[in-house]
Amino acid sequence: EAGVVQSPRYKIIEKKQPVAFWCNPISGHNTLYWYLQNLGQGPELLIRYENEEAVDDSQLPKDRFSAERLKGVDSTLKIQPAELGDSAVYLCASSLDGRMGGEQFFGPGTRLTVL
Amino acid sequence: AQRVTQPEKLLSVFKGAPVELKCNYSYSGSPELFWYVQYSRQRLQLLLRHISRESIKGFTADLNKGETSFHLKKPFAQEEDSAMYYCALTNTGNQFYFGTGTSLTVIP
């Protein structure tokens, strides 16, 4: 099994442009997470989905970031417009369910560079 | 507020020496603690979690609620242990917090 799939792996855009990241979780995993990882830092949760419902988006900058998980499977994270400070790795993870203590499986990440 | 602190950004040990990666947390309730590892050019993956009370690849971690610590230990480091290690916490609200990570280098 491929595990969590993310695309693209790398993206370079100019500031003020829009960008979208796609994530396909492990089959059967109900919980999906999007994380932001800045250089030299640990992942920071942006949003967590239980099926198609966003149950925790408290750290998502809603003025420019949006996410969706239609049909409770794939998910897309969008930034519009992108700023220089958005340059980072965006990680997607999934888990079987959102119970406390459950293992998260991570994708390879998308490295975004905003020029 | 929950917080996970890993005081060492970089840690180098010789092969065969004991290794300890420190992790301290702040949370008023009963958290679940994890160690995740990222080997070079690989994905972030779970190494161990305290509820399992297991040893993975020779690593163990004990939750010390009095000291609010969850240090990762291995008695004899191996070269293949060189990686980035992240301590993480989840609370009863299923919110997840990672530390800033410790880069471990095992010197041959």
Side-chain angles (χ1 to χ4, degrees), chain A residues 7 10 21-22 28 30 34 42 71 82 90-91:
Chain A
S7 69
Y10 304 91
F21 314 124
W22 175 80
N30 296 323
W34 281 104
K71 301 181 181 179
Y90 291 83
L91 294 168

Side-chain angles (χ1 to χ4, degrees), chain A residues 25-75:
Chain A
I26 292 173
S27 177
H29 281 195
N30 296 323
T31 307
L32 184 145
Y33 311 77
W34 281 104
Y35 288 91
L36 163 70
Q37 186 172 22
N38 287 304
L39 188 64
Q41 301 296 316
E44 300 172 33
L45 183 68
L46 290 172
I47 189 167
R48 174 167 65 94
Y49 282 94
E50 296 290 346
N51 298 301
E52 65 272 12
E53 181 183 359
V55 296
D56 184 0
D57 63 356
S58 56
Q59 301 303 312
L60 189 72
K62 298 181 182 64
D63 56 337
R64 297 183 300 107
F65 286 66
S66 64
E68 60 183 12
R69 191 185 184 198
L70 301 176
K71 301 181 181 179
V73 181
D74 296 2
S75 178

Side-chain angles (χ1 to χ4, degrees), chain A residues 4 37 40 98 100-101 104, chain B residues 9 30 36 43 49 86 94 96:
Chain A
V4 176
Q37 186 172 22
M100 191 174 169
Q104 294 185 33
Chain B
K9 275 283 192 185
S30 295
Y36 277 79
R43 304 175 183 205
R49 47 190 153 181
Y86 294 95
N94 284 337
F96 219 82

Side-chain angles (χ1 to χ4, degrees), chain B residues 8 10 15 17 22 25-26 32 35-37 41 47 49 56-58 60-61 66-69 71 76 78 82 84 88:
Chain B
E8 303 140 329
L10 303 170
K15 177 182 175 181
K22 292 183 169 53
Y25 68 90
S26 61
E32 296 287 347
W35 278 98
Y36 277 79
V37 62
R41 298 188 180 85
L47 179 62
R49 47 190 153 181
I56 304 295
K57 299 184 179 182
T60 59
E67 296 183 357
T68 60
S69 68
H71 303 328
F76 307 104
Q78 302 300 313
S82 295
M84 195 75 185

Side-chain angles (χ1 to χ4, degrees), chain A residues 82-97:
Chain A
E83 297 179 352
L84 294 176
D86 296 332
S87 294
V89 175
Y90 291 83
L91 294 168
C92 179
S94 70
S95 63
L96 192 59
D97 52 46

